[in-house]
């Protein structure tokens, strides 16, 4: 019988422009933003940038929903693979990024975007910075930088080879290094965080690139399909290059999700970056990085998983334990959420190690649910300010009594904390179950042990979250903290994120079904 399947080498020749159109739309919007920043009058730049960015993200999402689902395949010479997981991750990145951009556009005063410095190139505390503040200048380049990063995040989980994945890694990372250093207040802390992020990110990129070179030496190709075929065929000529190459590539990816021992940058960067950027990084970067990990693990190196699986399990266990324990000791709300994100990275890694379609769908659902709650949480943190105008009140003791003075803000934040804790009827509970259940079913004894560790660490983090709720509702406040009223755009973003978080907890079925249908990789 004659096979009707088209050989992979012929599938990879054609360029399916509809399949990559969402990525092209985002890149196009970023270029328009650059032109606006260069030529538009300063008083209207912020408004134009926000409009262009929002329209770009909505347009890319519409194209993704209408066209790309019917154009699955391998394109751009095998560099981009448009399949179920890629589409789900790309759509999730666009949704989360849209909410994050609306929070970036927030202004609490008439002098400019409150979260960002009026002039990133000015020396902190200099007369030039004071002049820019008095003139009401704004950092409009934030929005095209965010769009470039979003484009990289969309390519990251859809990369069909290691070279494309490396390019996507750099495209998403370089704008984030800049965005981290643009905080309006605590400028030195922000610039220190940006420098640490850049230096450690450069090391992780070097590990990834070196590992890619070793895998190329082993398989004679950087394509995931060719690497998988070489492993399955049992190539022995350069067999010594395989495991080191896999380890180095995984190091580069594990850095982006903040897994232990590659997590040192996370607390400092989360604390120093502008709060809307912190939410953007915590939600979107983690989602895109897990998409890339899924493709590498399930398509490229699954055939020799018994060689590296134990190491990744150890990383997942350490990530959960260290993230949850160190979150107990934190006194700054942004650093606390940073260690919380580290613990969640370990929870999600447990789902990755299930090695079946249920594990893929569980990871995709978890990253989306976590991203929605994280963006909303950092949006609330940006609203809680010192009454004297001194900036955000990020010290935990400053949140005492917030439930009495601002019950709505405290109630929303309490709900998000319960979501992070994984309390039943929240999206956090559903997400943990979706990630842990496949690991128990198909991951073997090691995965079952990881799930046990995950449950225990969830109890530790639940103590941390409940302690904050007690602080807000049952502790007398000093009265020097106020929750500001968000703008219409920020209100829409917060409301959408909170409603989606509630919906994914109460009625998760449709999204779980969608994730299950989109869990098959093209090889």
């Amino acid at each position: 019988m004659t096979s009707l399947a088209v050989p992979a080498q012929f599938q990879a020749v054609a360029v399916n422009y509809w399949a990559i159109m969402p990525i092209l739309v985002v890149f196009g919007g970023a270029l328009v933003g650059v032109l606006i920043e260069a030529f538009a009058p300063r008083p209207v730049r912020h408004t134009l940038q926000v409009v262009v960015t929002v329209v770009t993200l909505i347009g890319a999402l519409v194209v993704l929903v209408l066209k790309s689902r019917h154009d699955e395949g391998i394109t751009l010479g095998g560099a981009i693979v448009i399949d179920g997981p890629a589409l789900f991750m790309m759509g999730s990145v666009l949704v989360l990024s849209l909410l994050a951009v609306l929070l970036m556009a927030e202004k609490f005063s008439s002098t400019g975007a409150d979260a960002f410095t009026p002039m990133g190139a000015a020396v902190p505390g200099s007369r030039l910075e004071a002049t820019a503040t008095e003139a009401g200048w704004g950092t409009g380049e934030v929005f095209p930088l965010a769009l470039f990063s979003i484009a990289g995040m969309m390519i990251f989980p859809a990369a069909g080879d290691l070279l494309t994945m490396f390019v996507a890694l750099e495209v998403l990372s370089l704008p984030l290094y800049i965005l981290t250093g643009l905080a309006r207040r605590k400028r030195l802390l922000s610039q220190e965080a940006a420098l640490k992020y850049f230096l450690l990110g450069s090391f992780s990129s070097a590990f990834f690139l070196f590992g890619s070179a070793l895998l190329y030496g082993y398989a004679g190709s950087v394509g995931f399909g060719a690497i998988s075929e070489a492993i399955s065929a049992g190539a022995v000529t350069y067999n010594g290059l395989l495991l080191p190459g896999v380890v180095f590539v995984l190091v580069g990816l594990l850095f982006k999700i903040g897994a232990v021992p590659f997590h040192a940058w996370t607390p400092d960067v989360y604390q120093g970056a502008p709060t809307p950027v912190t939410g953007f990084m915590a939600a979107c970067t983690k989602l895109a990085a897990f998409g890339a990990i899924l493709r590498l693990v399930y398509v490229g190196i699954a055939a020799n998983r018994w060689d590296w699986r134990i190491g990744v399990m150890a990383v997942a266990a350490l990530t959960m334990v260290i993230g949850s324990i160190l979150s107990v000791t934190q006194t700054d709300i942004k650093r606390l959420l940073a260690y919380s994100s580290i613990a969640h990275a370990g929870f999600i890694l447990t789902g990755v190690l299930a090695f079946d379609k249920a594990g893929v769908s569980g990871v995709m659902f978890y990253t989306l649910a976590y991203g929605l709650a994280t963006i909303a949480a950092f949006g609330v943190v940006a609203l809680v300010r010192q009454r004297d105008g001194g900036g955000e009140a990020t010290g935990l003791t400053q949140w005492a009594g917030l439930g009495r003075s601002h019950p709505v803000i405290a109630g929303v934040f309490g709900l998000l904390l319960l979501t992070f804790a994984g309390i039943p009827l929240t999206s956090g509970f559903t997400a943990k179950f979706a990630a842990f259940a496949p690991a128990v079913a198909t991951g073997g004894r090691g995965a079952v042990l990881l799930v046990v560790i995950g449950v225990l660490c969830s109890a530790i983090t639940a103590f941390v979250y409940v302690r904050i709720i007690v602080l807000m509702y049952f502790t007398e406040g000093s009265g020097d903290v106020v929750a500001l009223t968000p703008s219409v755009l920020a209100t829409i973003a917060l409301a959408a994120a909170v409603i989606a978080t509630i919906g994914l907890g109460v009625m998760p079925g449709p999204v779980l079904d969608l994730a299950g249908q989109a869990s098959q990789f093209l090889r």
Side-chain angles (χ1 to χ4, degrees), residues 104-489:
M104 290 182 193
E106 177 63 278
K107 289 184 177 181
F108 294 116
S109 66
S110 60
T111 59
D114 185 80
F116 302 98
T117 177
M119 179 175 285
V123 176
S126 66
R127 181 57 192 165
L128 180 59
E129 185 181 55
T131 301
T133 302
E134 294 168 2
W137 292 3
T139 314
E141 62 266 28
V142 165
F143 299 99
L145 284 172
L147 284 177
F148 279 120
S149 184
I150 293 165
M153 293 174 187
M154 295 174 68
I155 299 173
F156 208 27
D161 57 61
L162 290 168
L163 185 59
T164 304
M165 187 171 283
F166 175 75
V167 172
L169 173 64
E170 296 306 300
V171 171
L172 76 88
S173 298
L174 291 175
L176 290 177
Y177 302 151
I178 301 173
L179 291 172
T180 299
L182 296 179
R184 186 181 185 89
R185 297 176 174 85
K186 298 182 179 179
R187 296 277 287 120
L188 291 176
L189 181 65
S190 178
Q191 292 186 349
E192 179 188 351
L195 182 60
K196 289 180 179 179
Y197 194 16
F198 170 71
L199 291 176
L200 293 177
S202 299
F203 277 114
S204 73
S205 297
F207 274 110
F208 185 96
L209 196 58
F210 186 54
S212 300
L214 293 179
L215 288 178
Y216 176 77
Y218 169 78
S221 172
V222 292
F224 292 135
I227 293 172
S228 178
E229 291 176 3
I231 296 173
S232 300
V236 295
T237 304
Y238 300 105
N239 193 53
L241 301 178
L242 175 59
L243 186 57
V246 170
V247 170
F248 285 137
V249 170
L250 284 174
V251 166
L253 295 178
L254 291 172
F255 173 88
K256 299 308 294 184
I257 65 172
V260 176
F262 318 109
H263 68 292
W265 63 275
T266 309
D268 293 335
V269 173
Y270 278 34
Q271 183 183 23
T275 300
V277 173
T278 305
F280 175 58
M281 286 192 298
C284 300
T285 305
K286 193 177 294 291
L287 186 147
F290 268 109
I293 289 174
L294 285 175
R295 186 165 300 279
L296 172 69
V297 166
Y298 280 76
V299 178
I301 59 174
N304 79 320
R305 63 178 180 268
W306 300 111
D307 293 335
W308 50 262
R309 185 171 179 264
I310 299 298
V312 176
M313 290 176 63
V315 168
L318 284 173
T319 302
M320 289 186 287
V321 172
I322 292 178
S324 58
I325 291 177
L326 291 185
S327 65
V328 177
T329 66
Q330 301 307 307
T331 58
D332 184 276
I333 190 68
K334 292 174 74 173
R335 292 184 71 89
L336 187 149
L337 291 176
Y339 280 105
S340 170
S341 76
I342 292 171
H344 281 282
F347 299 151
I348 303 172
L349 271 178
T350 302
V352 172
L353 294 169
F355 293 108
D356 71 343
K357 290 180 62 176
V360 174
S361 62
V363 168
M364 293 193 298
F365 180 88
Y366 199 131
T367 53
L368 175 60
Y370 172 78
L372 290 167
T374 298
I375 287 177
F378 281 105
V380 171
V381 171
L383 296 178
V384 180
R385 301 294 181 105
Q386 300 175 31
R387 189 177 294 275
D388 59 4
E392 297 168 354
T394 59
L396 282 183
T397 56
Q398 295 177 295
W399 288 60
L402 192 68
R404 302 177 185 178
S405 58
H406 299 88
V408 175
I409 291 295
V412 169
F413 197 67
L415 171 65
L416 297 172
L417 292 175
L418 293 177
T419 299
F420 290 141
I423 301 301
L425 295 181
T426 66
S427 62
F429 174 80
T430 308
K432 281 190 173 68
F433 183 82
F436 287 171
V440 172
T442 63
R445 294 180 180 177
V448 172
L449 177 61
L450 275 184
V451 171
V452 173
I453 295 174
V455 172
L456 295 176
C457 290
S458 296
I460 296 174
T461 56
F463 163 76
V464 177
Y465 303 135
V466 172
R467 185 181 63 177
I468 299 175
I469 295 175
V470 171
L471 183 70
M472 291 191 296
Y473 283 96
F474 301 103
T475 305
E476 190 68 31
S478 60
D480 59 350
V481 171
V482 61
L484 302 183
T485 302
S487 66
V488 174
L489 292 180

